[in-house]
Amino acid sequence: MSEKERILQALCDVVVTLDYAKIGEVTKSAIQAGIPAHEAVLQGLAKGMEIVGEKYETKEYFLSELIMAAEVMKEAMDILEPHLKAEKVPGAGTMVIGTVSGDLHDIGKNTVIAMLRSAGFEVHDLGVDVPVEVFVQKVREIKPDILGMSALLLSTMPMMKEVVAALSNEGLRESVKIVIGGRPVTQEYADMIGADAYGKDAVEAVKKAHNLIRESYSKTKL
Amino acid sequence: MHLALERFLIAARLETPDQVQAAPFATGHFISWFAGIPEARAIEYWERDYRRKLSAQLTVIKAFPDVMFWPGVWADFGLAPETSALGCEIAFPENAPPAVRTPAVKKLEDIDRLEVPDPYRDGLMPIAIEAYEYMVKNIPRELRENFGYGHWSIAMGPTDVAGLSMGYDKFLVGLYKYPEAVHKLMKIVTETIIIWIKTQQEVIGSDMLTFIGGDADCFLNPKQFETFSYPYLKQVCDTFKRKDNVVLYHNDGDTTHLLDKLRDIGADMFNYGQDMDTALAKRKVGDKMCLVGGLNSIGVLLRGSSDDVDRTCKKVISEGAQGGGFVLSQEGAMAAHTPTENIWAMIKAAEKYGKYPLKHEIMEDLS
């Protein structure tokens, strides 16, 4: 195993083992070894996050591990960020995300954000209790690839439909993909309101976001 | 023939009543809608007008005579009393229950400044106390005696109150990075919960039924649960567990990974979570806690047909009710728009399949 491979593997390992005490040291060693920051992310940290996601899906890991892995990843990204900017490597995509109006729950949304950022997305977090018009305004302003909406309550879930309708009324619906999630949300509901995807948990939401970007990219190429 | 409350209490002792009791779990989400309050204006139920709240709760109770809803009659301010008393900023959205907008603990040092609240002074606790005083005075006596209404004291569990007071992501990261600070917070939160339940018991004049909501425990892995939640949860349960009363632990998440430890928290009843395996829960904790649940409140009770409800009830009664210690309910509070016929299907299924001794065909389903 080369020095580069060893460091990339170490980056992956510290994410999987949630070893926040070591992440700074290992990340700096990657920079010192001349490993491009985007490779440190894609071939080290992101691989670790993928394994964490798999462990979550098989119930070996739980929400606390998912959040902590994202925290470890964030510490590494803080160190790598200036180098990534200098390398001018395009990100995975841009996403605007928020919890719908009336709903103040953020644990699901925050987990998705952490996973998305770990996967290279530029994420604009609108917070909780986000009014319909703010979703519309931010889509117009930021022009994201994807809009994400979260709701924990059945009583607030209908606000997702209102956002989709408002985007259509404003002529913005075709410009953005929509992914939704949250406890009462289902694939049937996503189909019913005309969302493009539904994620049953944070891990699936990130996979779906990647798929949506890939699909858009293929269509553009065609 | 036993009355509804008797069946509930017999099951809580892990004994066998004449039949499985169907006891729908109803909170403001369902109650306000059923009472005709527009969903976009649900705040009319959740806000401080406890006269209107009691009236809405009694509307549901009277529409289903002989059915025991739980908690039935209560102050119902969501998660707000404990968190507001600890200093969290609470929002009252128009279309949803009150919830924490800004946590009390913004930085670790804030934990050192936290104090155990005075329920007669801090946050929404005083208004909840007023609500309980009014409700207990105004519940028809037969409803209180036969259905346990006005006998419930209710609090969120230590992990939920701590998580909301700090913000869940900071709290979960804190388990790894700042374990001592988290323990300090858990101690304050546990004392808060205990004093809050004691106060409610004084006000309602009863310690018969205690509800502890521990949804956030399912976020933890087994080791974290054992270290950071179990000692505090047990302290709460042990404080209120007596020979002739009931402590119910509610968690509508998936706690399959915690069952080996949950069995020892000291609760009498376990309202278990969405889509958990009733047979497995019965095997793991059924000798220690009465299972309360079995029906998915959204997937089955709200979105299913009455046949779906009947089929599910038959299955979970076969898996959970043998030997007693089972109450048919939902794995989470009922949603607005839950069809009345589905609630009746649940009640009828308890009569049809839940009479003891359980019929041979029910037991065959289990094999």
Side-chain angles (χ1 to χ4, degrees), chain A residues 144-178:
Chain A
D145 300 299
I146 303 172
L147 170 66
M149 287 185 281
S150 168
L152 182 92
L153 304 173
L154 202 64
S155 56
T156 57
M157 190 175 74
M159 300 312 294
M160 293 176 167
K161 189 179 175 187
E162 291 198 21
V163 173
V164 176
L167 287 169
S168 298
N169 291 342
E170 296 291 320
L172 292 166
R173 178 64 189 92
E174 297 307 314
S175 70
V176 67
K177 297 289 181 188
I178 296 176

Side-chain angles (χ1 to χ4, degrees), chain B residues 171-197:
Chain B
F171 173 78
L172 294 174
V173 166
L175 301 178
Y176 296 88
K177 285 187 162 180
Y178 323 108
E180 284 175 18
V182 170
H183 278 296
K184 195 169 191 175
L185 176 61
M186 291 298 273
K187 279 178 194 162
I188 296 166
V189 155
T190 302
E191 282 182 56
T192 301
I193 292 165
I194 288 172
I195 199 167
W196 176 225
I197 294 174

